Amino acid sequence: MIAGKQQLQPSQLFSLKGSIVTLSVLTLISFTYFSFKSLRPPLPFSPPNPQITLLPLSATNTTAPSQSRIIADIKENYVAEENDDDDGDLFTDVYHSPKLFKLNFKEMEEKFKIYIYPDGDPKTFYQTPRKLTGKYASEGYFFQNIRESRFRTDDPDEANLFFIPISCHKMRGKGTSYENMTIIVQNYLDGLIAKYPYWNRTLGADHFFVTCHDVGVRATEGVPFLVKNAIRVVCSPSYDVGFIPHKDVALPQVLQPFALPAGGNDVENRTTLGFWAGHRNSKIRVILARVWENDTELDISNNRISRATGHLVYQKRFYRTKFCICPGGSQVNSARITDSIHYGCVPVILSNYYDLPFNDILDWRKFAVVLRENDVYQLKQILKNISHEDFVSLHNNLVKVQKHFQWNSPPVRFDAFHMVIYELWLRHHVIKY
């Protein structure tokens, strides 16, 4: 006893210290547990207006769905069922997320606005391509459609995106060299940046330009800050030439007007297994012709079919063929793909590094056969292994998507123009000011 206080025994002192240490350890464990638990993502919920950007699936990628696709599927389960008699049976399983597409498409129609820069001489290089036919028809139709659509705004302050109306095709029509095209594009863009404040807000992330075939690609590749920053809507969406799937948009190359009406619902008339005719202007086409030119079941021609053989012989062959072979030409894409879709012939994509048009919206495996170039050697066996039931399913789904690969003036709901606009709508959500 000291001053009336009881002195703790050693055993009691160690017991007290042990209790304090034990309590501290338990507190630390509990704190750590709840800290990690707080880092877990919240359960999915349905926001008032769900908006997401779907990352494109490579044409040659057959791996498990990406994270963005999984998120899209989860969100789709929370989208309320809506009845819309005007849409009929449009929203089927040819879409990755039918309900989400329907919901976002309606919101796009109500809210999306695009400002077109008015600068440039319309009689020379800007504003309108030379024609709405041939290899550049998609470019021409877009330039015309955007001006006659609900999405155009004359107020740049309410715009979601800014359209740079550069028509490299029109420059080519005047005999301008690629080097001079690059200089013209550079000077034009420098002028916009100096005159308007909009490019500098995002370094061009909310700007886009449209070009089809290879002219625009070659003319703009010499302006790296345009290619890397702005959204490119191009007919040559190849990963090995700088195409960025989550930023850029694959523009379908459509040769309009079509020579004959759309095919479809005519499976019984399609007796030829496969068909291709064209120039040997790429390695894959050389191999295709060399391996299968003399085959009795595949109709493979070394050159384009001469008009002297008859009226529209080439187009009519699409009508009687099950599978139309679409190898890449000088670029990864080919207008033969949209020809096949129009005439009801299931396209067989033979092209590496090709980001197929609208492939973050449409499930191409439901209406096309997507192969790597190395599959050309087993091509016939691959096609013969597709059962009649599967072919009928592919054909019927192909008819459902024909409207998405058709240009109209003025534009029609769900046509090629609206699909490209929808792709732009998806991408504008990731832009931050």
Side-chain angles (χ1 to χ4, degrees):
M1 294 286 186
I2 299 177
K5 292 183 180 180
Q6 184 178 5
Q7 186 175 4
L8 295 175
Q9 297 297 321
S11 61
Q12 292 176 311
L13 183 60
F14 287 131
S15 176
L16 179 59
K17 289 182 177 179
S19 299
I20 293 174
V21 171
T22 302
L23 181 61
S24 300
V25 172
L26 290 175
T27 302
L28 179 61
I29 292 174
S30 300
F31 178 78
T32 304
Y33 169 76
F34 287 109
S35 296
F36 277 111
K37 187 175 181 181
S38 67
L39 295 176
R40 294 175 56 191
L43 292 175
F45 68 99
S46 178
N49 294 300
Q51 303 168 346
I52 78 170
T53 298
L54 306 180
L55 296 181
L57 179 67
S58 169
T60 58
N61 182 6
T62 57
T63 58
S66 65
Q67 182 181 6
S68 60
R69 173 59 51 224
I70 295 173
I71 293 174
D73 291 340
I74 291 174
K75 286 194 174 185
E76 180 187 346
N77 292 331
Y78 289 84
V79 176
E81 291 286 351
E82 298 183 22
N83 294 321
D84 192 340
D85 295 335
D86 293 337
D87 294 333
D89 62 348
L90 170 66
F91 301 98
T92 65
D93 62 355
V94 297
Y95 305 90
H96 290 298
S97 303
K99 298 174 185 176
L100 191 64
F101 173 56
K102 180 179 182 180
L103 183 69
N104 275 342
F105 192 94
K106 288 184 176 179
E107 184 177 1
M108 173 197 75
E109 290 182 305
E110 296 170 357
K111 299 180 178 180
F112 198 32
K113 295 298 179 184
I114 296 172
Y115 178 75
I116 306 174
Y117 282 109
D119 300 67
D121 185 353
K123 296 180 180 179
T124 55
F125 307 126
Y126 313 102
Q127 310 302 327
T128 307
R130 288 186 295 133
K131 57 182 179 179
L132 298 178
T133 60
K135 296 178 180 180
Y136 303 92
S138 293
E139 178 182 324
Y141 270 103
F142 186 91
F143 272 71
Q144 180 161 310
N145 286 170
I146 190 65
R147 286 175 167 77
E148 54 192 4
S149 75
R150 69 174 75 186
F151 304 108
R152 181 182 183 181
T153 177
D154 293 325
D155 181 3
D157 292 326
E158 73 170 5
N160 303 110
L161 291 181
F162 295 81
F163 178 36
I164 304 173
I166 302 173
S167 176
C168 297
H169 173 219
K170 198 168 186 176
M171 298 184 205
R172 180 64 180 272
K174 292 182 172 293
T176 310
S177 68
Y178 288 119
E179 292 76 13
N180 286 336
M181 286 185 194
T182 299
I183 295 173
I184 291 170
V185 172
Q186 176 79 63
N187 292 339
Y188 178 63
L189 194 58
D190 287 343
L192 295 182
I193 294 173
K195 183 176 180 180
Y196 300 95
Y198 308 109
W199 175 280
N200 289 329
R201 293 188 308 185
T202 63
L203 294 180
D206 57 355
H207 287 57
F208 72 95
F209 65 96
V210 177
T211 184
C212 200
H213 212 49
D214 57 347
V215 174
V217 173
R218 293 183 62 181
T220 57
E221 63 186 2
V223 190
F225 71 96
L226 171 65
V227 172
K228 292 180 180 179
N229 294 356
I231 300 170
R232 294 194 300 166
V233 183
V234 295
C235 285
S236 302
S238 176
Y239 299 147
D240 60 352
V241 293
F243 182 84
I244 305 174
H246 66 271
K247 177 180 76 72
D248 300 330
V249 175
L251 181 69
Q253 186 172 350
V254 185
L255 301 184
Q256 286 189 222
F258 293 106
L260 294 171
N265 303 314
D266 51 4
V267 171
E268 66 281 356
N269 298 330
R270 300 181 179 272
T271 55
T272 302
L273 179 63
F275 166 62
W276 175 78
H279 297 306
R280 297 189 184 193
N281 58 350
S282 67
K283 180 180 178 180
I284 182 60
R285 292 188 177 191
V286 171
I287 297 174
L288 175 65
R290 186 180 70 237
V291 175
W292 300 110
E293 186 174 8
N294 298 317
D295 192 84
T296 57
E297 295 178 272
L298 295 177
D299 183 3
I300 306 297
S301 300
N302 185 13
N303 293 295
R304 289 187 178 274
I305 299 175
S306 173
R307 295 181 180 178
T309 59
H311 183 59
L312 300 177
V313 171
Y314 173 77
Q315 289 81 0
K316 291 176 181 177
R317 289 199 187 180
F318 282 90
Y319 282 139
R320 65 170 187 255
T321 305
K322 294 180 178 180
F323 301 98
C324 288
I325 319 303
C326 303
S330 57
Q331 300 289 332
V332 292
N333 68 313
S334 170
R336 191 172 281 100
I337 296 175
T338 51
D339 283 345
S340 301
I341 294 173
H342 174 77
Y343 293 117
C345 183
V346 175
V348 179
I349 315 298
L350 267 178
S351 185
N352 295 340
Y353 311 111
Y354 186 15
D355 199 71
L356 291 162
F358 317 139
N359 73 350
D360 49 353
I361 307 168
L362 302 175
D363 187 349
W364 278 76
R365 291 166 293 189
K366 297 294 180 62
F367 59 89
V369 179
V370 183
L371 304 176
R372 294 181 178 272
E373 291 183 358
N374 286 339
D375 293 325
V376 66
Y377 299 100
Q378 296 81 38
L379 179 61
K380 184 168 76 169
Q381 194 57 49
I382 291 173
L383 299 181
K384 293 185 72 172
N385 286 342
I386 298 174
S387 68
H388 178 72
E389 291 73 18
D390 288 340
F391 164 67
V392 171
S393 178
L394 289 169
H395 176 81
N396 291 340
N397 286 335
L398 188 68
V399 175
K400 296 176 184 177
V401 303
Q402 284 176 333
K403 62 174 72 67
H404 300 318
F405 297 89
Q406 171 80 41
W407 294 94
N408 302 282
S409 183
V412 176
R413 203 166 185 243
F414 299 115
D415 65 1
F417 171 75
H418 281 86
M419 295 294 280
V420 173
I421 291 293
Y422 183 79
E423 292 276 18
L424 292 168
W425 162 257
L426 291 180
R427 281 153 179 77
H428 102 276
H429 288 302
V430 301
I431 299 169
K432 303 297 182 183
Y433 293 100

